[in-house]
Amino acid sequence: MQVIKFPERAEWTFILARPSMDTRSLEQTVSNILEGVKKDGDEAVMRYSLMFDKVSLESLEVPPQHVEEAHSAVSAELKAAIAVAKANIEKFHLSQMQPELKVETMPGVNCWRRSVGIQNVGLYIPGGTAPLFSTLLMLAVPARLAGCRQIVLCSPPDTMGRLHPAILYAASLTGVHRIFRVGGVQAIAAMAYGTGSIPRVNKIFGPGNQYVMCAKQLIQKEGIAIDLPAGPSELAVYADESANPAFVASDLLSQAEHGVDSQVLLVSCSEFLLDRVLEEVNRQLEGLPRKQISKRALENSKMILVKNPEEAMDLLNQYAGEHLILACSDAQAMSERVVNAGSVFIGHYSPESAGDYASGTNHTLPTSGYAASYSGVSADSFVKKITFQKLSQTGLAAIAETVQIMAEAEGLQAHANAVKIRMGNSTS
Amino acid sequence: MQVIKFPERAEWTFILARPSMDTRSLEQTVSNILEGVKKDGDEAVMRYSLMFDKVSLESLEVPPQHVEEAHSAVSAELKAAIAVAKANIEKFHLSQMQPELKVETMPGVNCWRRSVGIQNVGLYIPGGTAPLFSTLLMLAVPARLAGCRQIVLCSPPDTMGRLHPAILYAASLTGVHRIFRVGGVQAIAAMAYGTGSIPRVNKIFGPGNQYVMCAKQLIQKEGIAIDLPAGPSELAVYADESANPAFVASDLLSQAEHGVDSQVLLVSCSEFLLDRVLEEVNRQLEGLPRKQISKRALENSKMILVKNPEEAMDLLNQYAGEHLILACSDAQAMSERVVNAGSVFIGHYSPESAGDYASGTNHTLPTSGYAASYSGVSADSFVKKITFQKLSQTGLAAIAETVQIMAEAEGLQAHANAVKIRMGNSTS
């Protein structure tokens, strides 16, 4: 980790910059696959699955038998853990569901807003070394609460055409309606355009490699909504001398093991603490199976020594990190000054892993500084909020003049007429 | 208007398709302007303003004197109308502000979510024939309620460097912090990248021509959030024989006058009603100042005769219109079956113009079928919802095993360690 002491504010932008991700070089490759699936449907999906995932499939949908087998393959211990996580995620996301709230803005003018589940949603769960069933919980649980009519899952199979049992078990438990063993750009394309087997969806959620991210960006331009612009995962920690250096080091390492492009940031006013954490990082690193990945991620990572907690908070707000741990004695007070962050972990016993898996908050969060303008995934992400209004004749009379004057000032006579004609004083 | 009788469901997709908008041909032009502003800042903004808006500016910010003059230039009548609209918009959007709601998902595991205003937001209001001060109210009012720290407005000036007084008055009244007389792609670029005069913002809102829309799409790929993907305005009406044909016709015409690319759709089970409305449309059209625009918009527009109200609702949900008027006797019951729409107007005295100006709902809504996955602008659009969690030692102990089992099943040992080490049973 780089150690930076007392940087000037003018240098912050440079220090806090994320490694830039330019997907333009991928756009042609990704566009070709999108076009292929748009044109040839299932046939193209199978062709690309053979090409990229080395799997020859006779059907894209996961056979029900695989799902049944997954129920036996997952250990009782893991099932119990998933049950706890699911219950907490449900509880927290349920609190985000907004009831209809009718507002009578003037007598006879009633306005309200109703949250309606997006009818068809697509979830993408990457394959690779780690079966991310936790991400599936984070997406499928709020999708169900939101009342989405059809939840579709795509995830790349192994060369035998199998998904990991934990993925299948979690999908079945959370009520995913259709499960397809398809990965990569071809999965995003299939859900965006629809194929013979895979239904077209209105919004696509979930992480993926740079090809998948690029595909999500491109289909967004064609009117399919996506959850969030994506970037490498990241963690910022603020720690004072009340922090346990071993705890802080374990948090930095839990982030660093995600991938070589992960980034961690440790901010403190105590050089003593920074030194202790650095020692601990090096010590704990040795015992980790994903040591090589973590080492490379730590090369992009920084320890920053600042003058005081106020400066630390300014810097952290400018960073707008995906995760922010406040490991300090006045963590609660500090948390009230956070304006840019995806998810905040308060105090010495709130590690990021708690939120990654089981506390109940969502772990699909804005990276790369997007936290300055985007929220993480929540129940909101799975609904549209439709506004309604009902005016009585009296209600319309109460705002008729206002509407007419404004419409005429904007030069929109027909807008004024729609009110006048109802008030019985049409000019036409 | 085209009249289509009893179309088969298989034909709906074709009938309901929006005129396609391909901005790819504009991308090169727009990219060049974006690059120019990124590189040369204010100098480029002034150069493009001279080129496209034929205005030579010595400063980009509107002089305070112009704002003062606007207060005298706007009539007392219009001021009163704006005051009524603003109060209703405030009342409705205030109801959307969510309080923090703490959930203890397990004993000692506290999770909550706080809405924090996006720090810097940019509003774009187009120039042209109609001064859209109503759109400014729709954007600036919720931005203020949300607590955005800096609200920036860009709008193109006339050749004398002046903005319309009603725009300046509305900006001043709603508490916009900085007003710039800059329009087009150069305005979007300036707010996205920042220049010497114009601050960089985190999210850009507001309508515009196809160049502006294309610019918003492109800067979105660079991490600046935008309100909504945009398309031409549109209205769908469902009417039965209880509807007044003159009212319905006035609604169709109020939409048609927006622009030649506007689209209106009238769905009914009564051929008698469709005939009466068509007569009324032709009659009322004659008296309208924007008759030529409306005529062309009506050429893209359709009357659809369907078998029964159920089929009507299915068709309207598939259309996913920006605005939906239910002009029928059981409008309230029909409204409960709406799953895709931007904003719904219930009954015979709820014209779209009411919501366009003054009832309190927002008029920045998803077009082009985006209502299937996007919500209109609301207080939500101006905040990030940050999640927080605070676990006590007991709380962490309660989920420790769950986190460890899940992390290990995902092959993420360092995630498990962050919990183990806090529980005093670190393996490292």
Side-chain angles (χ1 to χ4, degrees):
Chain A
M1 293 182 79
Q2 301 165 48
V3 181
I4 302 168
K5 295 180 189 172
F6 305 117
E8 296 295 322
R9 280 181 188 246
E11 298 171 74
W12 287 5
T13 305
F14 177 76
I15 293 171
L16 301 177
R18 310 313 203 266
S20 78
M21 289 227 312
D22 192 346
T23 58
R24 270 177 293 185
S25 59
L26 310 177
E27 279 190 13
Q28 196 52 57
T29 312
V30 172
S31 284
N32 290 345
I33 303 173
L34 293 176
E35 280 304 312
V37 173
K38 198 182 214 170
K39 190 167 148 280
D40 299 329
D42 284 339
E43 198 195 308
V45 172
M46 290 188 181
R47 193 168 68 233
Y48 294 121
S49 296
L50 184 60
M51 195 182 300
F52 300 121
D53 296 331
K54 313 293 175 216
V55 57
S56 172
L57 297 167
E58 56 192 27
S59 72
L60 299 178
E61 191 150 13
V62 168
Q65 189 206 334
H66 291 197
V67 182
E68 281 163 37
E69 287 166 9
H71 279 260
S72 341
V74 173
S75 71
E77 191 185 38
L78 184 53
K79 280 182 184 164
I82 288 176
V84 171
K86 178 172 176 275
N88 288 349
I89 296 166
E90 265 169 2
K91 216 180 262 183
F92 186 58
H93 287 75
L94 197 58
S95 78
Q96 299 166 351
M97 301 295 294
Q98 279 182 287
E100 268 181 45
L101 197 66
K102 216 167 220 170
V103 179
E104 192 167 18
T105 54
M106 292 179 93
V109 181
N110 283 290
C111 303
W112 65 100
R113 188 165 76 147
R114 189 166 81 217
S115 293
V116 178
I118 296 174
Q119 296 294 286
N120 299 289
V121 296
L123 315 183
Y124 183 79
I125 301 293
T129 48
L132 298 180
F133 57 85
S134 64
T135 303
L136 184 50
L137 295 178
M138 295 293 173
L139 300 176
V141 167
R144 282 297 292 216
L145 289 177
C148 299
R149 204 186 49 187
Q150 182 169 242
I151 306 169
V152 171
L153 166 66
C154 282
S155 189
D158 63 19
T159 53
M160 300 301 290
R162 291 276 178 165
L163 298 190
H164 193 284
I167 299 270
L168 292 178
Y169 174 75
S172 159
L173 189 71
T174 51
V176 167
H177 300 96
R178 309 277 305 271
I179 311 174
F180 296 93
R181 40 184 171 173
V182 176
V185 175
Q186 60 271 28
I188 304 300
M191 293 193 283
Y193 306 129
T195 68
S197 313
I198 304 177
R200 182 181 185 282
V201 302
N202 306 114
K203 188 169 183 176
I204 297 177
F205 296 78
N209 63 22
Q210 52 181 350
Y211 291 92
V212 167
M213 288 185 220
C214 178
K216 283 173 69 185
Q217 269 188 352
L218 292 178
I219 56 106
Q220 185 181 25
K221 284 174 61 181
E222 299 184 47
I224 314 298
I226 64 169
D227 49 356
L228 277 173
S233 194
E234 60 196 23
L235 164 67
V237 180
Y238 171 74
D240 66 11
E241 292 197 0
S242 77
N244 182 324
F247 294 6
V248 174
S250 73
D251 292 328
L252 300 179
L253 287 167
S254 77
Q255 185 58 43
E257 76 172 339
H258 271 296
V260 294
D261 52 2
S262 295
Q263 201 188 28
V264 299
L265 204 66
L266 172 61
V267 179
S268 182
C269 311
S270 160
E271 193 163 0
F272 179 79
L273 181 95
L274 293 180
D275 289 342
R276 294 296 84 69
V277 172
L278 197 53
E279 283 169 22
E280 271 292 330
V281 164
N282 292 327
R283 200 179 64 76
Q284 292 181 25
L285 185 61
E286 290 309 312
L288 290 176
R290 290 166 74 96
K291 180 175 154 183
Q292 293 311 322
I293 292 176
S294 308
K295 266 194 166 166
R296 286 187 53 198
L298 291 172
E299 286 166 15
N300 301 323
S301 297
K302 298 179 178 86
M303 292 188 167
I304 305 177
L305 183 64
V306 294
K307 290 192 207 105
N308 52 52
E310 289 65 40
E311 195 178 70
M313 209 61 229
D314 288 350
L315 185 139
L316 289 163
N317 277 324
Q318 183 172 330
Y319 182 66
E322 181 188 11
H323 306 96
L324 171 60
I325 295 179
L326 300 173
C328 53
S329 53
D330 55 347
Q332 181 71 41
M334 282 288 271
S335 79
E336 278 152 31
R337 288 155 54 200
V338 173
V339 292
N340 292 327
S343 198
V344 184
F345 300 77
I346 299 173
H348 302 305
Y349 288 92
S350 307
E352 188 203 312
S353 350
D356 283 343
Y357 289 108
S359 62
T361 59
N362 209 291
H363 79 200
T364 305
L365 295 165
T367 54
S368 302
Y370 295 130
S373 45
Y374 290 90
S375 311
V377 165
S378 71
D380 295 337
S381 312
F382 294 90
V383 299
K384 297 121 3 183
K385 295 179 177 175
I386 305 177
T387 50
F388 293 82
Q389 62 200 283
K390 186 174 184 179
L391 284 73
S392 65
Q393 204 166 347
T394 324
L396 185 60
I399 60 167
E401 204 185 338
T402 295
V403 173
Q404 287 170 45
I405 291 167
M406 290 176 75
E408 284 167 7
E410 289 193 345
L412 297 173
Q413 190 59 52
H415 280 67
N417 279 0
V419 171
K420 280 187 188 167
I421 208 164
R422 284 170 165 90
M423 293 292 106
N425 54 355
S426 164
T427 54
S428 56
Chain B
M1 293 184 78
Q2 302 166 46
V3 180
I4 302 168
K5 296 180 188 172
F6 305 118
E8 296 294 323
R9 279 180 188 247
E11 297 171 75
W12 287 6
T13 305
F14 177 75
I15 293 170
L16 301 177
R18 313 310 205 267
S20 78
M21 289 227 313
D22 193 345
T23 58
R24 270 177 294 185
S25 58
L26 309 177
E27 278 189 15
Q28 196 53 55
T29 312
V30 172
S31 284
N32 290 345
I33 303 173
L34 293 177
E35 280 304 314
V37 173
K38 200 183 213 170
K39 190 168 149 280
D40 299 330
D42 284 341
E43 199 195 307
V45 173
M46 290 187 180
R47 192 168 70 233
Y48 294 121
S49 296
L50 185 59
M51 196 182 298
F52 300 120
D53 296 330
K54 314 291 174 216
V55 58
S56 173
L57 297 167
E58 57 194 26
S59 72
L60 298 179
E61 190 148 14
V62 168
Q65 189 207 332
H66 290 198
V67 182
E68 281 162 35
E69 287 165 11
H71 279 261
S72 342
V74 173
S75 71
E77 191 185 38
L78 183 54
K79 280 182 185 165
I82 288 175
V84 170
K86 178 171 176 277
N88 287 349
I89 297 166
E90 264 168 2
K91 216 180 263 185
F92 186 59
H93 288 75
L94 197 57
S95 79
Q96 298 167 353
M97 302 294 295
Q98 279 182 289
E100 268 181 46
L101 198 65
K102 215 166 220 170
V103 179
E104 192 168 17
T105 53
M106 291 178 94
V109 181
N110 283 288
C111 303
W112 64 101
R113 190 165 75 148
R114 189 166 81 217
S115 293
V116 178
I118 296 173
Q119 296 294 286
N120 299 289
V121 296
L123 316 183
Y124 183 79
I125 301 293
T129 49
L132 298 179
F133 56 86
S134 64
T135 303
L136 184 50
L137 295 178
M138 295 293 173
L139 300 176
V141 167
R144 282 298 291 216
L145 290 177
C148 299
R149 204 186 49 187
Q150 181 169 243
I151 305 170
V152 172
L153 167 66
C154 283
S155 189
D158 63 19
T159 53
M160 301 300 290
R162 291 275 178 167
L163 297 190
H164 193 284
I167 299 270
L168 292 178
Y169 174 75
S172 160
L173 188 72
T174 51
V176 167
H177 300 96
R178 310 277 304 271
I179 312 174
F180 296 93
R181 38 184 172 173
V182 176
V185 175
Q186 62 271 29
I188 304 300
M191 294 192 283
Y193 306 129
T195 68
S197 313
I198 304 177
R200 181 181 185 282
V201 302
N202 306 115
K203 189 169 183 176
I204 297 178
F205 296 79
N209 63 22
Q210 52 183 350
Y211 291 93
V212 168
M213 288 186 222
C214 178
K216 284 173 68 185
Q217 269 188 352
L218 291 179
I219 57 104
Q220 186 182 24
K221 284 173 62 182
E222 300 184 47
I224 314 299
I226 65 169
D227 49 355
L228 277 173
S233 194
E234 59 194 25
L235 166 67
V237 180
Y238 172 73
D240 66 12
E241 292 196 359
S242 76
N244 182 325
F247 294 5
V248 174
S250 74
D251 292 328
L252 300 179
L253 287 166
S254 76
Q255 184 59 42
E257 77 173 337
H258 271 296
V260 295
D261 53 1
S262 294
Q263 202 189 28
V264 299
L265 203 67
L266 173 60
V267 179
S268 182
C269 311
S270 161
E271 192 163 0
F272 179 79
L273 180 95
L274 293 180
D275 290 342
R276 294 297 83 70
V277 172
L278 198 53
E279 283 169 23
E280 270 292 331
V281 165
N282 291 327
R283 201 179 65 76
Q284 292 180 26
L285 185 61
E286 290 309 311
L288 290 176
R290 292 167 73 96
K291 179 175 155 182
Q292 294 312 323
I293 291 175
S294 308
K295 264 194 168 166
R296 286 187 53 198
L298 291 172
E299 285 166 16
N300 301 324
S301 296
K302 299 179 178 85
M303 292 187 165
I304 304 176
L305 183 64
V306 294
K307 291 192 206 102
N308 51 53
E310 288 66 39
E311 195 178 71
M313 209 60 230
D314 288 350
L315 185 138
L316 290 162
N317 278 325
Q318 182 171 331
Y319 182 66
E322 181 188 10
H323 306 96
L324 171 61
I325 296 179
L326 299 173
C328 52
S329 52
D330 55 347
Q332 181 70 42
M334 281 290 271
S335 79
E336 279 153 30
R337 288 156 54 200
V338 174
V339 292
N340 292 327
S343 199
V344 184
F345 300 77
I346 299 173
H348 303 305
Y349 288 92
S350 307
E352 188 202 312
S353 348
D356 283 344
Y357 288 107
S359 63
T361 58
N362 208 292
H363 79 201
T364 306
L365 295 166
T367 54
S368 303
Y370 295 129
S373 45
Y374 290 90
S375 312
V377 164
S378 72
D380 295 337
S381 312
F382 295 89
V383 299
K384 296 122 3 183
K385 296 179 177 173
I386 305 177
T387 50
F388 292 83
Q389 61 201 282
K390 186 175 184 179
L391 284 73
S392 65
Q393 203 166 349
T394 324
L396 184 60
I399 59 167
E401 204 186 338
T402 296
V403 173
Q404 287 170 46
I405 292 167
M406 290 176 74
E408 285 168 6
E410 289 194 345
L412 297 172
Q413 191 59 52
H415 281 66
N417 280 359
V419 172
K420 281 187 187 169
I421 208 164
R422 283 170 165 91
M423 293 292 106
N425 53 355
S426 164
T427 54
S428 57

